[in-house]
Amino acid sequence: MNDWPVAQPLDATRLHLEPLNVAHAREMSYVLADTSLYRYIGGTPPTAQQLTERYARQSLGHSPDGEQGWLNWIVRRLDNAAAIGFVQTTVLCAHESPKAEIAWVIGVQHHGKGYATEASNRMVAWLQVQEVNTLIAHIHPRNQASAAVARKLGLSVTETIVDGEVCWEALLTR
């Protein structure tokens, strides 16, 4: 098993990224309840029980086989501490060149305010310090909002399609 980094509390200009734990499940079930959120990412709104089970697995920090590092943060507004979504990364090591598959989900009522970009930017800056050198994101081809976030993070479209989603990629510089 690899010695994966552990999610740390992170602050951005308007946001606080809080490492995920099981206690977040009930609060996040409300944030993730709008069915329109799943238009491009698939699935349905999770129940608090489903999130409790998911967060118990995710908060371990690695996959069961130890081949992937799992880092997840709840995104909170600094002004009122309200949870508004999450950012996450799966860290993969290939030939000692760590890659990170990143994702972001912000509750529908908070869309259009730049929160996904701000939270993801902060996570990416932290990943860079952890010596991750490649970012990957998988985005539905019609999800223009996520594509805009990816562009702002410096990712570029590749020709790779995985499960109907376009692979975006960026090499990080030190």
Side-chain angles (χ1 to χ4, degrees):
M1 177 162 22
N2 287 301
D3 188 20
W4 299 112
V6 176
Q8 307 286 320
L10 305 171
D11 285 328
T13 304
R14 301 174 295 160
L15 304 172
H16 175 69
L17 279 60
E18 185 174 298
L20 177 76
N21 68 61
V22 174
H24 293 121
R26 181 162 307 284
E27 180 179 23
M28 288 302 294
S29 69
Y30 296 110
V31 174
L32 303 174
D34 191 317
T35 56
S36 67
L37 188 60
Y38 304 89
R39 179 178 184 188
Y40 299 118
I41 62 175
T44 57
T47 65
Q49 182 59 40
Q50 288 169 325
L51 285 177
T52 297
E53 293 166 8
R54 181 183 308 163
Y55 291 176
R57 288 187 306 273
Q58 289 176 330
S59 62
L60 293 175
H62 58 81
S63 61
D65 63 7
E67 295 297 315
Q68 301 175 345
W70 293 343
L71 301 160
N72 298 270
W73 291 267
I74 298 302
V75 178
R76 294 186 180 281
R77 288 177 39 176
L78 279 175
D79 63 355
N80 63 9
I84 61 169
F86 65 87
V87 292
Q88 64 185 32
T89 186
T90 299
V91 180
L92 312 163
C93 278
H95 307 31
E96 298 186 30
S97 296
K99 294 182 178 185
E101 292 187 358
I102 60 173
W104 49 87
V105 175
I106 299 296
V108 172
Q109 64 274 30
H110 303 287
H111 284 183
K113 299 177 178 142
Y115 293 139
T117 300
E118 184 176 338
S120 297
N121 249 331
R122 183 62 185 99
M123 176 181 65
V124 166
W126 184 83
L127 287 168
Q128 224 170 343
V129 171
Q130 308 308 309
E131 300 185 3
V132 166
N133 65 11
T134 305
L135 297 178
I136 300 165
H138 299 278
I139 301 172
H140 189 282
R142 291 192 310 255
N143 189 340
Q144 294 305 309
S146 281
V149 172
R151 276 190 293 279
K152 290 175 187 170
L153 294 174
L155 283 82
S156 299
V157 175
T158 71
E159 295 192 16
T160 304
I161 307 280
V162 177
D163 295 329
E165 293 183 320
V166 177
C167 181
W168 291 66
E169 190 170 322
L171 296 176
L172 298 177
T173 57
R174 300 209 197 292

